[in-house]
Amino acid sequence: MDPTTRAGASTSALHARLTAWYAAHRRDLPWRGDGTDAWGVLVSEVMLQQTPVSRVDPVWRAWMERWPTPSDLAAASPADVLVAWDRLGYPRRALRLRECATAIRDTCGGIVPDDETALLALPGIGPYTAAAVRAFAYGRRAVVLDTNVRRVLARALGGEALPAPSLTRAEQDRAAAHLPLDDAGSALWNVALMELGALVCTARSPRCDVCPLRELCAWRAAGHPPDVHAHRRRTQAWHGTDRQARGALMAVLRERRDVAPETLADAWPPPEQRRRALASLVADGLVVAVTDDDGAALSYALP
DNA sequence: TAGACGTGGTT
DNA sequence: TAACCAAGTCT
């Protein structure tokens, strides 16, 4: 039996169980509705980058109501976009999404492209989001490898508790080898795999007892061995970091849009760290400084 | 390629 | 409580 046949047979058994489970347990997320076009899917994917579904849901609904097309968002001010982004986090994503909308309007005729090269050329769109738009918005065959899919495949096929810290070539090859060959089948495979990772095959407490793949799972067959990458994972510091300072300053600016330097001093007292955070926010285009003739800051505002 | 980049719920 | 984790991208 050649490798292609083996992979095909394995995929077939997994696919049948996975799709049956998905049909019964899929969530009715707003961006999965029939009324959602490619722009809506793209917006949802950018918002969902490193951000839980529950936080994205209300923001996405309001966003699509306000800016239903790329041209609508492109015409909005950065300040309005940042305020609407609210507390989704990583506010640079909001700015990039607006730049993405501008690029779609100016270079793609206002239509979200369906080919990988054009998608990857857009601001804020990387390998995952490009594949997700092709698969979920256009029903095309694409290797969708987000954190959920990586984890499910690492367990079911690789027998490991968790995937490596960063995406490997071997993982991409394995995912490609198991992807159904047809457009519709591959699109369903992708969304079902992702949903299983989100609802059952979770990072912390996987619900193996109700998993549709349990009889086929290599990790379960191996006795659930621990994560071999554990020693390489380092936790991200937060308290007292410049990152936390940036977040505190942006929270004030979202609320007031334009504030005196003293107001920001109240929001983040340590002067040197505040200066550093503000400088980086200005460099990122998230904040603008209004200065007098001597260059002293009179106020800070959203762009 | 490793590190930077928000925010808040869960364990 | 501190740490972990969430549909990644960019530099």
Side-chain angles (χ1 to χ4, degrees):
Chain A
M1 186 184 291
D2 69 275
T4 305
T5 304
R6 276 205 306 278
S10 175
T11 300
S12 172
L14 288 169
H15 189 274
R17 297 183 186 219
L18 187 60
T19 53
W21 173 85
Y22 181 69
H25 300 281
R26 71 186 293 270
R27 292 169 293 179
D28 269 324
L29 302 175
W31 44 86
R32 284 181 180 162
D34 287 340
T36 304
D37 62 6
W39 171 240
V41 171
L42 188 155
V43 171
S44 77
E45 292 301 339
V46 172
M47 289 183 172
L48 287 163
Q49 291 168 4
Q50 300 284 283
T51 308
V53 165
S54 60
R55 300 235 307 280
V56 168
D57 191 327
V59 178
W60 182 87
R61 291 174 190 272
W63 193 281
M64 296 308 295
E65 184 77 24
R66 185 172 185 182
W67 299 302
T69 72
S71 296
D72 292 321
L73 183 62
S77 73
D80 282 346
V81 168
L82 287 167
V83 170
W85 192 258
D86 198 35
R87 296 180 173 182
L88 287 184
Y90 295 129
R92 292 187 298 188
R93 286 184 296 163
L95 255 28
R96 291 204 191 103
L97 182 55
R98 177 174 172 276
E99 293 163 9
C100 177
T102 301
I104 291 171
R105 180 193 64 188
D106 296 342
T107 72
C108 306
I111 305 298
V112 175
D114 67 351
D115 71 280
E116 184 177 21
T117 302
L119 283 164
L120 288 175
L122 298 171
I125 308 298
Y128 162 73
T129 305
V133 168
R134 282 168 42 74
F136 305 148
Y138 292 114
R140 301 283 293 278
R141 186 173 186 273
V143 179
V144 176
L145 268 181
D146 76 321
T147 189
N148 289 304
V149 176
R150 292 186 64 211
R151 186 175 55 248
V152 174
L153 295 183
R155 288 174 177 165
L157 302 179
E160 299 184 338
L162 291 171
S166 54
L167 184 61
T168 66
R169 183 72 248 174
E171 266 185 286
Q172 298 179 58
D173 293 343
R174 180 175 63 190
H178 287 268
L179 187 67
L181 296 174
D182 62 305
D183 281 330
S186 62
L188 182 56
W189 166 263
N190 282 325
V191 72
L193 220 41
M194 195 176 301
E195 193 77 334
L196 187 71
L199 300 180
V200 174
C201 194
T202 56
R204 216 82 83 82
S205 306
R207 304 166 56 205
C208 300
D209 54 325
V210 298
C211 181
L213 308 184
R214 61 185 177 282
E215 282 88 11
L216 305 170
C217 181
W219 186 43
R220 178 174 179 273
H224 296 113
D227 177 22
V228 296
H229 308 289
H231 59 290
R232 294 177 51 192
R233 300 178 189 281
R234 56 177 59 99
T235 144
Q236 52 182 3
W238 176 248
H239 286 285
T241 60
D242 287 8
R243 211 165 160 182
Q244 186 186 22
R246 285 167 53 107
L249 298 173
M250 286 300 293
V252 172
L253 284 161
R254 277 197 303 272
E255 192 66 31
R256 308 264 304 271
R257 289 180 180 247
D258 191 322
V259 300
E262 306 80 62
T263 304
L264 294 183
D266 290 340
W268 196 266
E272 183 53 25
Q273 191 172 46
R274 182 175 66 254
R275 182 204 61 74
R276 202 164 57 233
L278 230 23
S280 74
L281 288 171
V282 170
D284 287 346
L286 289 163
V287 171
V288 293
V290 181
T291 58
D292 62 19
D293 293 339
D294 299 324
L298 296 174
S299 71
Y300 291 96
L302 293 182

